[in-house]
Amino acid sequence: MKNSDSSFDQLFDTFNSFLEQNRLKKTPERFAILRMIHEQTKPFEIKTINRKFILSKYYISRATLYNTIHLLEEANHFTNLSRSLIIILLH
């Protein structure tokens, strides 16, 4: 079951504000990663998200993926349990 659009809108707004406050670029790739993560219903590995982007033919570099994951963690949107396993906090 996918999460509702209203919860994504809230997450989007929060992350958007975080990027503005920290004077970071608001790129389409960052928000595509946010959307993909939001669609996850259980803990996931970063390589799984990367694979999904590859299969969808939407190219996002691993550097962008890992940097965005780090920013989302800084914004307190999820907890990184290990180097690759992620728990989502905000839905």
Side-chain angles (χ1 to χ4, degrees):
M1 186 171 125
K2 291 188 178 178
N3 300 296
S4 71
D5 284 337
S6 64
S7 68
F8 178 75
D9 291 343
Q10 177 188 5
L11 184 59
F12 179 94
D13 292 342
T14 305
F15 188 52
N16 193 42
S17 294
F18 173 82
L19 294 173
E20 286 177 0
Q21 290 170 358
N22 291 283
R23 296 185 174 152
L24 298 168
K25 293 179 184 176
K26 297 184 277 183
T27 65
E29 292 83 5
R30 285 183 173 158
F31 292 108
I33 292 166
L34 181 67
R35 168 77 65 188
M36 182 76 74
I37 289 171
H38 188 261
E39 291 173 354
Q40 305 310 301
T41 57
K42 58 186 178 183
F44 61 91
E45 293 183 323
I46 296 171
K47 66 182 179 182
T48 303
I49 299 296
N50 188 42
R51 195 174 309 122
K52 287 183 179 193
F53 277 116
I54 291 169
L55 291 173
S56 71
K57 298 186 180 177
Y58 189 139
Y59 178 75
I60 293 180
S61 73
R62 276 192 277 166
T64 298
L65 180 58
Y66 278 91
N67 288 336
T68 302
I69 295 286
H70 179 71
L71 290 173
L72 288 166
E73 189 175 15
E74 279 185 34
N76 296 318
H77 289 324
F78 61 70
T79 301
N80 190 350
L81 289 182
S82 68
R83 290 186 178 169
S84 64
L85 186 62
I86 306 297
I87 293 283
I88 302 164
L89 294 177
L90 183 67
H91 274 298

